[in-house]
Amino acid sequence: MGHPRTGTERRRKAPAENDGPFEGGGAGQRAAGLSTAGLDRLCRHVAHDLRNGLAVLRTNVDYLEGLAPRDEAERAALGDLREVADRMEHGIDHLVYLVRYLSGTLTPSLQPISMDTWLRALVRRLEEAPGPAAGRIRLEAPEPARIWADPALLERALRDLVLTRLAHTAAPGPVELRFHRPPGWAELTVIDSGPPLSPAARASFLDPRAPLGEGRLPAREVEQGLVGPFCGAVVAAHGGQTRLEVVDGRNRFTLRLPQPG
């Protein structure tokens, strides 16, 4: 009488005893590459799931705040959770818009914008909202000019760029916002108070096709996320140009949108 097979031997033989056809082509089949349209759809599905989770988080924060937190530490913790949810929402938006740009589906809806009143209203909304903007945005008196652009995309890009520079500039330094209308262009410039971004960051910060690689950039620059590439995608979708330079130790971000006539 032979020795009984060990559990290990039994497990080794099981695949041979159960050989048969598998659906999907087996381990040797590589996944087909996603088309750009497929990548866009996949990103939207993922964003939908993430936003559902954020909605649950915000609902619970609202509920707990309604119970009147017992002390300042609890109020601060709930405020931190709400801020994290907002930052995650912005990050999801940036990712979705970037993928739409890369897949060729980000098409601006051009409308006339009166820049002097539009910029003043934008700065007022930023300074009235909770956050770091109060009293720190210096708007150079914009010339009364009308431009053609997608107002929703342009506001999102400009708002997020200004807020990011406020968060990463030398506190409590201001951020300047300027508008000029050279022939054929609408030019928006954001100038922070430093410190200067590294040459590697300047080369890729506003490029929607150049992800910020952790191996190449200092941690404080990696942490700035997708705001720069998102702004670059918005400008590129308009057919425009971007430039990032350091002048007198300050980072100068220029967004140029082409204009008819």
Side-chain angles (χ1 to χ4, degrees), residues 143-166:
E143 53 189 276
R146 188 178 75 165
I147 72 167
W148 287 87
D150 185 316
L153 278 179
L154 185 59
E155 175 167 344
R156 185 182 293 268
L158 200 57
R159 177 200 67 191
D160 291 353
L161 181 58
V162 168
L163 291 177
T164 296
R165 299 327 305 158
L166 285 170

Side-chain angles (χ1 to χ4, degrees), residues 22-102:
F22 288 88
E23 294 183 1
Q29 179 176 336
R30 295 182 180 273
L34 277 176
S35 66
T36 52
L39 183 60
D40 185 18
R41 287 193 296 271
L42 174 62
C43 184
R44 289 171 185 265
H45 285 304
V46 173
H48 174 76
D49 288 345
L50 291 174
R51 288 188 176 115
N52 282 343
L54 288 177
V56 173
L57 175 60
R58 288 193 175 103
T59 298
N60 281 281
V61 169
D62 290 341
Y63 171 74
L64 292 172
E65 286 180 337
L67 296 179
R70 291 171 297 181
D71 53 37
E72 186 60 34
E74 287 189 0
R75 283 190 289 272
L78 292 173
D80 288 344
L81 286 175
R82 190 177 297 281
E83 181 181 349
V84 167
D86 291 342
R87 290 172 59 187
M88 290 179 66
E89 181 74 37
H90 290 161
I92 294 168
D93 287 344
H94 296 157
L95 179 60
V96 169
Y97 279 113
L98 271 174
V99 171
R100 287 180 60 191
Y101 167 74
L102 294 172

Side-chain angles (χ1 to χ4, degrees), residues 53-256:
L54 288 177
V56 173
L57 175 60
R58 288 193 175 103
T59 298
N60 281 281
V61 169
D62 290 341
Y63 171 74
L64 292 172
E65 286 180 337
L67 296 179
R70 291 171 297 181
D71 53 37
E72 186 60 34
E74 287 189 0
R75 283 190 289 272
L78 292 173
D80 288 344
L81 286 175
R82 190 177 297 281
E83 181 181 349
V84 167
D86 291 342
R87 290 172 59 187
M88 290 179 66
E89 181 74 37
H90 290 161
I92 294 168
D93 287 344
H94 296 157
L95 179 60
V96 169
Y97 279 113
L98 271 174
V99 171
R100 287 180 60 191
Y101 167 74
L102 294 172
S103 65
T105 60
L106 181 59
T107 304
S109 177
L110 301 183
Q111 300 176 35
I113 305 174
S114 297
M115 289 303 290
D116 52 340
T117 56
W118 187 85
L119 281 171
R120 289 191 178 96
L122 172 61
V123 171
R124 184 171 60 252
R125 286 193 294 273
L126 288 174
E127 293 198 326
E128 290 175 351
R136 293 180 61 197
I137 303 176
R138 295 180 181 173
L139 175 62
E140 182 181 272
E143 53 189 276
R146 188 178 75 165
I147 72 167
W148 287 87
D150 185 316
L153 278 179
L154 185 59
E155 175 167 344
R156 185 182 293 268
L158 200 57
R159 177 200 67 191
D160 291 353
L161 181 58
V162 168
L163 291 177
T164 296
R165 299 327 305 158
L166 285 170
H168 291 90
T169 197
V175 166
E176 296 181 20
L177 179 57
R178 302 176 181 176
F179 167 71
H180 296 288
R181 184 69 164 81
W185 296 95
E187 191 170 280
L188 289 153
T189 304
V190 175
I191 307 172
D192 67 19
S193 298
L197 291 170
S198 68
R202 294 200 298 272
S204 62
F205 189 88
L206 292 169
D207 184 353
R209 298 181 180 275
L212 302 179
E214 292 189 18
R216 295 183 291 111
L217 300 178
R220 67 177 177 83
E221 294 174 355
V222 173
E223 291 168 358
Q224 297 180 41
L226 296 175
V227 172
F230 162 68
C231 291
V234 169
V235 174
H238 281 80
Q241 304 169 350
T242 61
R243 182 172 65 246
L244 171 51
E245 54 193 336
V246 174
V247 179
D248 297 328
R250 306 168 70 192
N251 301 296
R252 184 188 296 253
F253 306 80
T254 302
L255 315 179
R256 304 185 80 203

Side-chain angles (χ1 to χ4, degrees), residues 2-16:
H3 294 289
R5 289 182 298 172
T6 65
T8 301
E9 291 171 332
R10 188 175 296 112
R11 285 193 296 273
R12 286 174 179 167
K13 289 183 67 66

